[in-house]
Amino acid sequence: MSNEPPLLIGLVSISDRASQGVYRDEGIPALQEWFGRALTSHWKVETRLIPDERPVIEQTLIELCDRAGCHLVLTTGGTGPAPRDLTPEATTAVADRLMPGFGEQMRQISLHYVPTAILSRQVGAIRGKTLILNLPGQPKSIRETLEGVKDAAGAQVVPGIFAAVPYCIDLIGGPYVETDESVVKAFRPKSALRRKE
């Protein structure tokens, strides 16, 4: 849709060591690559690489939602049980409303691959007109969470969380987002579908 504004995505990688340059961040490049394959709509990105400091995480989320005007903010890292894993607390602190289904589905997907998925505390939330989702830190886990579980033939076994994201963005007042169905099929009720031009 040519008159549709681009989807503005905030990508936040939360890591003490990567933000200090000890090693290269892999979360943001993995997400940018995934969106390049998954989205057929126009999109733009704002990126932030920050330490595991709760006040910094909260300030970054507020800035991306309120000032940058992101429709979608994805974080990677800081969702485990370690003392410095504070991404869910920061996300909850800045949220207007929680969207618990996203965290439940992420853990369900990850449990198909590792039993330690139950240690993950990822949350989904809405602030204003922005959907915020905490993703895992590893590129492979990020892709699995977004796309879901597929069998050997490529058929969907468990839906990925991104299938629900475009319709959620519709409902909170964002742009109409379309996907490449070979990567992830966006689900909308028939009444919410737009005819292709």
Side-chain angles (χ1 to χ4, degrees), residues 20 38 74 89 92 99 119 142 154:
Q20 292 164 1
L74 301 178
E89 284 75 16
T92 303
M99 300 291 290
L119 302 179
I142 290 170

Side-chain angles (χ1 to χ4, degrees), residues 130-143:
T130 308
L131 175 62
I132 305 170
L133 299 173
N134 302 153
L135 298 180
Q138 297 303 314
K140 181 175 179 289
S141 302
I142 290 170
R143 188 181 68 253

Side-chain angles (χ1 to χ4, degrees), residues 113 147-158 181-184:
Y113 302 102
E147 293 181 23
V149 181
K150 297 176 181 174
D151 65 18
Q156 193 89 58
V157 178
V158 180
E181 295 188 3
S182 70
V183 179
V184 63

